[in-house]
Amino acid sequence: MSPDISKGKITHVGPVVEDGQLYDIVAIEPLDEDLNGAQPGAIGQPEFSLAREDYWLSDSVREGKFVQIESVTLLPTGELDEHSIYIETKVSVW
C-alpha cells in the first residue's frame, strides 16, 4: 500500500464554531505539487480541516505555513465507509 501525499497551506489554527459546536482545528488549503492553489475562478479542492491533537498541537503548526501530509487509509470492509481508518504516517511543516 503506497501512501497518499497531499500538500497545502495552513489557513487557520484554533477554535471554530460549527452547528453550535466548538472545535479546535487546523484548516488547510490544498495546493498542487508546485504549491500553487486554485486559480481565480477555477474550481479546486475545498479547504479541509483536521482536529488539533497529537502533532497538530505543535508550536510549528501556524497559519501561513506549508504542510505535506503522507497518509494511508485502511479499508476493513474493502470500501471507504464509517469503518475506514485514516492514519497520518508523516507530516512536514515549513
Side-chain angles (χ1 to χ4, degrees):
M1 172 183 299
S2 61
D4 292 320
I5 298 175
S6 56
K7 294 182 179 182
K9 184 174 185 179
I10 298 172
T11 59
H12 177 82
V13 177
V16 295
V17 176
E18 274 187 26
D19 300 326
Q21 295 282 341
L22 180 64
Y23 298 97
D24 191 13
I25 66 159
V26 175
I28 300 171
E29 172 192 4
L31 301 176
D32 66 15
E33 288 295 314
D34 297 321
L35 300 177
N36 296 309
Q39 300 301 315
I43 298 174
Q45 292 182 324
E47 185 172 82
F48 64 95
S49 61
L50 302 165
R52 282 192 70 214
E53 55 189 19
D54 302 325
Y55 174 78
W56 298 106
L57 292 169
S58 169
D59 289 338
S60 64
V61 176
R62 296 190 305 262
E63 289 180 27
K65 295 279 192 169
F66 292 102
V67 63
Q68 177 173 301
I69 304 167
E70 292 182 24
S71 63
V72 294
T73 302
L74 305 177
L75 308 172
T77 64
E79 296 182 18
L80 186 60
D81 59 19
E82 68 274 3
H83 301 290
S84 300
I85 302 167
Y86 170 81
I87 302 170
E88 294 164 352
T89 57
K90 181 178 179 183
V91 177
S92 303
V93 174
W94 69 99

